[in-house]
């Protein structure tokens, strides 16, 4: 016969509630107790009845994660961290790509309201297009990133301050003509706005007049798009002294364009990115970047989400993740 929670509890010498706590991963259990329970589960070949458990507690055991572009290294690293943390807490993760399309966000919110998933971690792009709006019945949801609102919990890095500090770091050896790559000319993402504003604030602090010709548009934040955008820019403009790319992926594309043109980094131009993805550490030269703990983002997002599942009445909570400026070979003076 199929083993039950009571069988596992009896074998491990604990209560059925303790067995449940070990499986759910939400209530802390001591190491020795967890080990006894896990050994009993293995000995009895116990398999949790997830459907029955969901009927009892009204949960599916599944959360949704929605990111704008799953093809980027940043999205891959964030998704990996969230999946790891969620699994440690007994949740499965359904990963979706929104493609920056608000209709997909609305579909996922509907799925969460219908209890097909227990909650949603969402990375919206544009505030006015986000599914999180006044008058919308919100399921348990946590937002990642720069979209600022007063309705849902949010985990974020201060992109304005980080972009300001990166620009100041690039200027420190005496560089004055600092360009940015990633400005959106049309549909403005919250990320692009905040990072551009941080860059402009740094120029003001340095007493450098803003030069519109140093704002390089790149609507698709991919290495290929960045490589093309920078090549077109350099065809019509002189080489800046430094280039701050709004993501590491764009910076890697920019390095490729500069290499093809025989431009030496950092001797001829300094280059920096944002996100500290693993690929940037192995670029040639290694990439200066804004770094932050992606595991911390995942941990805080899951904490806020599980607490919101239990209590939907408390007010909005904001968690800011610290960042550092990591200087590597691409910008060393």
């Amino acid at each position: 016969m199929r083993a039950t929670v009571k069988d596992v509890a009896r074998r491990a010498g604990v209560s059925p509630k303790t067995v449940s706590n070990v499986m759910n991963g939400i209530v802390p259990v001591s190491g020795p107790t967890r080990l006894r329970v896990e050994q009993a589960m293995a000995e009895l070949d116990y398999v949790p009845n997830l459907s029955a458990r969901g009927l009892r507690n009204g949960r599916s055991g599944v959360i949704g994660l929605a990111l704008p572009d799953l093809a980027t290294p940043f999205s891959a690293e964030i998704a990996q961290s969230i999946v790891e943390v969620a699994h440690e807490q007994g949740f499965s993760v359904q990963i979706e790509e929104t493609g920056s399309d608000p209709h997909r966000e609305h579909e996922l919110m509907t799925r969460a309201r219908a209890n097909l998933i227990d909650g949603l971690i969402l990375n919206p792009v544009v505030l006015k297009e986000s599914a999180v709006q006044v008058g919308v019945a919100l399921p348990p949801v946590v937002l990642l990133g720069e979209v600022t609102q007063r309705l849902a919990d949010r985990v974020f890095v201060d992109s304005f301050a980080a972009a300001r500090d990166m620009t100041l770091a690039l200027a420190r050896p005496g560089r004055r003509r600092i360009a940015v790559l990633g400005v959106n000319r049309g549909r403005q993402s919250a990320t692009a706005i905040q990072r551009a504003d941080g860059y402009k604030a740094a120029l003001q602090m340095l007493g450098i007049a803003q030069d519109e010709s140093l704002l390089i548009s790149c609507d698709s934040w991919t290495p290929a798009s960045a490589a093309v955008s920078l090549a077109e820019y350099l065809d019509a403009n002189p080489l800046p002294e430094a280039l701050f790319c709004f993501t590491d992926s764009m910076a890697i594309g920019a390095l490729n364009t500069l290499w093809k043109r025989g431009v030496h980094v950092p001797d001829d131009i300094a280059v920096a990115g944002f996100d500290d993805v693993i690929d940037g550490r192995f670029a040639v030269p290694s990439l200066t970047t804004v770094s932050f703990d992606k595991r911390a983002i995942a941990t805080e997002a899951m904490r806020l989400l599980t607490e919101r599942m239990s209590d939907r009445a408390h007010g909005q909570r904001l968690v800011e993740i610290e960042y550092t400026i990591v200087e590597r070979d691409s910008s060393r003076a």
Side-chain angles (χ1 to χ4, degrees):
M1 294 179 60
R2 178 173 176 164
T4 67
V5 169
K6 290 183 179 179
D7 296 329
V8 174
R10 191 178 304 113
R11 174 69 66 94
V14 299
S15 69
K17 180 64 175 175
T18 299
V19 175
S20 178
N21 290 339
V22 170
M23 291 189 297
N24 292 333
I26 297 174
V27 177
V29 177
S30 69
T33 300
R34 176 179 292 277
L35 181 60
R36 290 206 312 274
V37 171
E38 290 175 346
Q39 286 177 338
M41 291 170 65
E43 291 168 1
L44 295 171
D45 196 23
Y46 173 74
V47 179
N49 188 338
L50 297 179
S51 61
R53 190 168 72 183
L55 290 173
R56 286 195 300 272
N57 63 21
R59 293 183 180 175
S60 66
V62 180
I63 65 165
L65 171 63
L67 300 171
D69 184 358
L70 294 177
T72 66
F74 173 73
S75 291
E77 292 180 20
I78 285 290
Q80 181 185 42
S81 294
I82 290 175
V83 167
E84 287 178 351
V85 174
H87 283 184
E88 289 167 7
Q89 299 182 16
F91 289 96
S92 297
V93 183
Q94 177 181 315
I95 301 176
E96 299 280 355
E97 181 178 75
T98 63
S100 303
D101 182 352
H103 295 297
R104 297 191 194 179
E105 293 183 14
H106 285 284
E107 290 174 4
L108 289 167
M109 296 272 281
T110 300
R111 203 175 302 170
R113 283 191 292 267
N115 295 322
L116 297 176
I117 55 176
D118 295 331
L120 178 62
I121 298 175
L122 177 65
N123 181 196
V125 175
V126 181
L127 175 59
K128 66 181 181 180
E129 297 177 358
S130 172
V132 179
Q133 298 288 344
V134 174
V136 175
L138 295 181
V141 60
V142 174
L143 303 190
L144 304 180
E146 289 82 359
V147 166
T148 304
Q149 38 69 56
R150 298 182 180 180
L151 301 174
D153 299 329
R154 182 165 67 101
V155 181
F156 67 99
V157 173
D158 188 339
S159 270
F160 173 90
R164 177 199 63 207
D165 291 349
M166 176 58 79
T167 306
L168 293 174
L170 289 171
R172 199 164 293 128
R175 304 181 185 105
R176 305 287 289 180
R177 295 190 64 256
I178 303 170
V180 290
L181 177 61
V183 177
N184 298 133
R185 298 299 184 187
R187 182 170 176 254
Q188 290 276 0
S189 72
T191 303
I193 292 171
Q194 291 188 26
R195 294 179 188 177
D197 286 348
Y199 159 78
K200 294 172 185 177
L203 295 184
Q204 186 173 14
M205 292 171 63
L206 294 164
I208 300 175
Q210 184 177 324
D211 183 350
E212 292 293 326
S213 71
L214 293 172
L215 304 178
I216 307 173
S217 176
C218 184
D219 292 330
S220 176
W221 286 9
T222 64
S225 181
V228 171
S229 294
L230 181 59
E232 291 175 348
Y233 174 83
L234 293 177
D235 286 341
N237 296 275
L239 185 72
E241 294 174 88
L243 176 65
F244 172 29
C245 304
F246 285 170
T247 69
D248 284 356
S249 292
M250 285 190 286
I252 290 170
L255 287 175
N256 181 264
T257 288
L258 294 169
W259 174 77
K260 286 180 176 178
R261 291 175 177 241
V263 177
H264 294 158
V265 178
D267 296 338
D268 300 330
I269 180 174
V271 177
F274 198 116
D275 293 332
D276 195 13
V277 301
I278 292 174
D279 291 1
R281 303 174 198 179
F282 295 95
V284 180
S286 58
L287 187 61
T288 292
T289 190
V290 177
S291 179
F292 46 89
D293 188 342
K294 299 176 185 68
R295 172 80 184 198
I297 290 177
T299 299
E300 290 300 322
M302 282 301 303
R303 179 181 67 83
L304 293 178
L305 188 61
T306 53
E307 291 177 3
R308 181 65 68 177
M309 291 176 193
S310 301
D311 179 10
R312 301 194 189 187
H314 62 68
Q316 182 195 40
R317 291 171 301 175
L318 305 175
V319 177
E320 182 175 340
I321 303 299
E322 294 183 356
Y323 66 86
T324 57
I325 304 299
V326 177
E327 184 179 16
R328 298 196 180 105
D329 294 338
S330 68
S331 70
R332 295 191 195 281

